[in-house]
Amino acid sequence: MSAPIKLAYYPGCTMKNHARNFEDATWSAMASLGVEMEELKRWNCCGTVYSLAVDDIMRRLAPIRNLIRAKQGGASEFATACAMCYNTIKRANNHVKEYPETLSRMNEFMDQEPDYHGDVSVTHLLEFLRDKVGFEAMGEKVKKPLKGLKVACYYGCLLMRPRSVAFDDPENPKVMENLVQTLGAEPVDFAHKMECCAAYKTVDRPDIVADQTYKILTSAKGQGADVVMVSCPLCAFNLDQRQELALERHPELRHLPVVYFTQLMALALESGETALDSKRHHIDPRPVLAAKELV
Amino acid sequence: MTVSINPDKTRQAFIKKVESISRQNLKACYQCGKCSAGCPMAAHMDILPNQVIRYAQLGMMNELLDSQSIWNCVSCMTCNSRCPKSVRIAEVFEALRQVLLRRREDHLFTQKLSQKTLGELPPIALIGSFRKLTS
């Protein structure tokens, strides 16, 4: 057996709450791959959304503080499974590298922390799996190929946009599709894979989110998808929980279960079925997986 | 609609403020409309993204600050990724929101959300909306 790969891991708030199933699946799937994850000590909220106001220094402190925590723990790189955390931290990191005067003001402000010098990098777990573990090596560890399962890979907005954070083609990425193929399932191409789910509008305008959910799921279902696979807990909430409101507004909606990419990994790697905790899903993925004899 | 272009001071100050918060050159836009064509929120906008940039070029402050568009943009970055002139349209929307938020004119009122709603929503949604829609 090859030597374990070590990985500094940043969870983020929703992984510890509503997306606990995402976090559990991530730990068990990574363990099956021989990756030793270590959670960053004293991590804090990433800030959730990246401030686009150039002078808004205050809202870049939270992501930069996490980079300092990584450095304190001896890591020059860390990965996060949540697309929003990835996006916010990576963009803040890019920003301070581009604007050193902003970084020095931030360092002065955080006078009880060691100075940050832009020398820690952030990766998304999908990028880590593709580049460090390798899909070929992962394929060798698949115990239960997800045969016959048609998966719509939904990227949403934050994994590949803006271009400065993209780790694949920003208009037509393939990393999720390649992962799905590695797991023995079949990716389906659909027009809405890069379309935004309307994100945090779920708080003040759930109607807008429900309409986006209807469009995205109908597009995926039209291509024969059995499940939609995501990497963002907010996309998951909107595409799954908001199906209730989407159905009220669009009675012709056909339900689709929504799963995290690490849940499908845990299933194919036989890392433990706790990863599919049905309490955390609005539309339970088990029936469709059972129909394919996968659970 | 007749639009008069003049060096009115209020307009100039507004244009300068938007350009400074967004760090964008508004005049770079040549109105191809690609941002509006790909915008997933365009159906919920009273002023389309390319029009927002045009209004901003002209310093049409009241029209922009009263619009629904600035609050329905969710910074998904589709416009920025596709702009042939590399105008960061989403940054301009953020600057417009900030003009209001920096006057403490919030768009989201947490006290209006029910306990049930607050319990159901994941932190990622709540914090995201507070950061975008409140001061």
Side-chain angles (χ1 to χ4, degrees):
Chain A
M1 185 162 164
S2 50
I5 308 174
K6 290 196 188 296
L7 174 67
Y9 164 70
Y10 173 86
C13 58
T14 303
M15 303 287 282
K16 300 291 184 189
N17 289 284
H18 293 62
R20 188 78 227 188
N21 50 347
F22 189 9
E23 155 116 302
D24 290 347
T26 301
W27 280 96
S28 49
M30 297 307 275
S32 299
L33 291 172
V35 176
E36 279 180 14
M37 295 206 305
E38 192 182 343
E39 186 172 313
L40 287 192
K41 288 193 177 63
R42 293 175 60 220
W43 60 268
N44 55 251
C45 171
C46 68
T48 313
V49 285
Y50 177 72
S51 174
L52 298 170
V54 179
D55 57 356
D56 196 350
I57 296 178
M58 194 57 92
R59 289 195 174 167
R60 298 188 216 288
L61 292 173
I64 298 303
R65 224 181 267 275
N66 286 310
L67 295 159
I68 294 172
R69 295 287 170 265
K71 195 96 199 266
Q72 286 174 321
S76 59
E77 184 180 3
F78 67 79
T80 158
C82 168
M84 267 179 108
C85 296
Y86 164 73
N87 190 285
T88 305
I89 301 172
K90 183 142 179 178
R91 283 160 87 182
N93 200 21
N94 287 346
H95 184 88
V96 299
K97 286 189 228 172
E98 194 180 341
Y99 298 105
E101 72 282 16
T102 303
L103 180 57
S104 60
R105 284 185 68 188
M106 290 168 78
N107 280 332
E108 272 169 40
F109 182 81
M110 294 188 282
D111 59 358
Q112 297 188 329
E113 307 280 7
D115 280 359
Y116 181 61
H117 303 289
D119 47 353
V120 176
S121 59
V122 189
T123 49
H124 189 269
L125 199 63
L126 281 165
E127 186 184 8
F128 174 84
L129 290 167
R130 180 191 65 191
D131 301 340
K132 300 282 166 68
V133 175
F135 288 148
E136 207 172 306
M138 191 196 297
E140 287 164 16
K141 296 192 165 125
V142 168
K143 290 186 183 149
K144 181 163 59 180
L146 309 179
K147 224 171 158 227
L149 187 70
K150 292 190 174 177
V151 183
C153 299
Y154 178 71
Y155 292 80
C157 38
L158 298 176
L159 268 185
M160 300 295 164
R161 284 195 296 264
R163 281 170 194 275
S164 55
V165 306
F167 52 92
D168 202 344
D169 183 324
E171 291 283 356
N172 190 19
K174 288 278 172 242
V175 58
M176 278 183 154
E177 283 83 351
N178 292 341
L179 171 68
V180 161
Q181 278 166 337
T182 302
L183 302 176
E186 186 188 328
V188 299
D189 197 14
F190 73 121
H192 289 65
K193 75 177 191 178
M194 306 305 294
E195 190 89 348
C196 177
C197 68
Y200 56 82
K201 290 305 280 183
T202 205
V203 177
D204 67 321
R205 289 293 303 274
D207 57 314
I208 294 183
V209 170
D211 288 357
Q212 284 301 103
T213 294
Y214 168 72
K215 277 192 251 174
I216 293 161
L217 297 182
T218 303
S219 166
K221 193 90 183 179
Q223 295 300 105
D226 298 311
V227 294
V228 177
M229 185 179 92
V230 299
S231 76
C232 170
L234 186 49
C235 296
F237 178 83
N238 285 344
L239 295 184
D240 189 13
Q241 262 78 5
R242 286 287 177 238
Q243 285 188 45
E244 197 178 337
L245 184 58
L247 185 66
E248 275 175 37
R249 296 172 62 80
H250 305 274
E252 69 279 23
L253 173 80
R254 289 160 72 206
H255 289 299
L256 260 184
V258 177
V259 292
Y260 293 106
F261 68 97
T262 53
Q263 287 182 299
L264 290 188
M265 284 171 57
L267 191 61
L269 297 164
E270 292 194 329
S271 316
E273 283 185 21
T274 51
L276 283 168
D277 180 3
S278 60
K279 285 197 304 291
R280 303 225 175 245
H281 293 267
H282 175 62
I283 303 297
D284 189 353
R286 283 170 184 274
V288 68
L289 295 169
K292 312 266 175 195
E293 294 173 2
L294 298 172
V295 287
Chain B
M1 183 178 72
T2 312
V3 178
S4 56
I5 301 173
N6 63 53
D8 175 314
K9 273 190 187 146
T10 335
R11 289 193 170 205
Q12 291 308 316
F14 176 71
I15 295 169
K16 230 173 143 179
K17 191 168 194 171
V18 172
E19 288 197 324
S20 137
I21 299 176
S22 65
R23 207 172 284 189
Q24 296 304 299
N25 171 17
L26 294 168
K27 289 188 282 296
C29 168
Y30 55 27
Q31 290 293 311
C32 70
K34 203 162 181 172
C35 50
S36 301
C39 176
M41 291 297 113
H44 308 284
M45 289 191 178
D46 42 3
I47 306 176
L48 293 173
N50 68 304
Q51 295 172 323
V52 165
I53 303 299
R54 186 69 181 135
Y55 281 33
Q57 287 172 341
L58 299 171
M60 295 166 71
M61 178 171 71
N62 295 337
E63 289 82 350
L64 288 169
L65 299 185
D66 289 342
S67 73
Q68 281 306 301
S69 302
I70 61 173
W71 302 111
N72 287 342
C73 157
V74 288
S75 308
C76 78
M77 302 290 140
T78 307
C79 51
N80 284 19
S81 296
R82 295 178 183 172
C83 177
K85 293 284 288 176
S86 303
V87 176
R88 294 183 178 180
I89 300 107
E91 270 80 342
V92 176
F93 274 75
E94 184 91 315
L96 294 167
R97 285 188 291 270
Q98 284 294 321
V99 169
L100 287 169
L101 295 176
R102 288 173 191 194
R103 294 184 200 156
R104 294 277 179 269
E105 290 182 36
D106 288 1
H107 188 72
L108 176 72
F109 302 93
T110 35
Q111 61 271 31
K112 286 189 186 162
L113 299 172
S114 70
Q115 282 302 315
K116 185 175 170 276
T117 303
L118 287 171
E120 280 168 359
L121 291 166
I124 198 169
L126 289 169
I127 304 165
S129 64
F130 296 164
R131 289 210 145 189
K132 284 288 194 179
L133 310 175
T134 66
S135 51

